Amino acid sequence: MSETYTLLLRLEGPMQSWGYRSRFDYRDTALEPTRSGVIGLICSAWGIARGEDITRFENINMGVRVDREGRPERDYHTALHVIKADGSGTGTVQSWRDYLADAAFTVGLESDDKKLLDEIEVHLKNPHWPLFLGRKAFPLASFPLSASQPAIVPLPLREALEQAAFSLRCKLRRGKLRCRYILEMHDGERTQHDWPLCFGKRKFKPRSIHITFDDKG
């Protein structure tokens, strides 16, 4: 029986946006990193362009530990002199874009293919393109790999997330930090349409996730 490994990432920033059902003039955000957003970040580090094959990531199971929930915010944008769809002239286009302020997450990528996780770690340490938190305007506040702990641990996903160190910026409440976990499971109670098949053609499929809580402190 092959051993299971988990690669741990820390995703923190002043602003993050993890859209998964954005359409036209409204851009939403999930309350935690989406699979498409995390795979997109890895593709940027790896130098994998839109439209290129990403099936190498299919056997990765992803989970998220919410270290700091963040605060949902919304930006209002206008664009002038946009050509109308019927070609009758130009007009002003309004859009609303959601994001999370001051959120922090620990993301686990579980696989029995340690070589793949090793490659991801190498590329994250030397990214081909800049890394960002859902949008190019939202950079990471800190390096995504721990400077003091191993990035890859020989543990299954949930156990690895439970044992991962917390950011120094995560504040305890009454001596405890209540954690929310979002784990990919075949029989999860929620379905989210954010499993990327091709970024170039914007093709995605649904994934099943399970949400649970515990208290750390």
Side-chain angles (χ1 to χ4, degrees), residues 44-146:
S44 289
W46 201 304
I48 300 172
R50 289 179 178 274
E52 290 190 37
D53 180 57
I54 55 173
T55 56
R56 72 194 77 185
F57 305 121
E58 284 290 302
N59 72 336
I60 286 177
N61 192 39
M62 181 179 127
V64 178
R65 186 186 72 193
V66 180
D67 298 338
R68 191 169 57 250
E69 290 281 355
R71 185 178 66 256
E73 299 283 359
R74 178 171 294 174
D75 278 346
Y76 171 69
H77 294 253
T78 58
L80 302 176
H81 310 302
V82 177
I83 298 174
K84 295 181 179 180
D86 61 5
S88 62
T90 62
T92 300
V93 173
Q94 303 176 85
S95 64
W96 294 261
R97 303 182 187 188
D98 293 348
Y99 62 91
L100 299 175
D102 201 33
F105 306 99
T106 298
V107 173
L109 302 175
E110 177 193 62
S111 178
D112 57 7
D113 186 352
K114 187 172 184 295
K115 182 180 177 182
L116 174 61
L117 298 182
D118 286 335
E119 288 185 271
I120 294 173
E121 180 184 6
V122 168
H123 290 298
L124 287 171
K125 289 180 177 178
N126 300 279
H128 184 85
W129 291 314
L131 306 181
F132 49 88
L133 299 170
R135 292 186 198 155
K136 292 182 179 179
F138 296 167
L140 282 76
S142 59
F143 190 61
L145 303 177
S146 173

Side-chain angles (χ1 to χ4, degrees), residues 4-23:
T4 298
Y5 298 88
T6 299
L7 170 63
L8 295 167
L9 310 178
R10 180 174 291 155
L11 302 183
E12 294 184 53
M15 295 182 286
Q16 308 186 30
S17 183
W18 306 103
Y20 66 100
R21 55 187 180 188
S22 300
R23 292 292 185 272

Side-chain angles (χ1 to χ4, degrees), residues 35-50:
R35 184 180 178 97
S36 57
V38 172
I39 297 300
L41 183 146
I42 293 170
C43 287
S44 289
W46 201 304
I48 300 172
R50 289 179 178 274

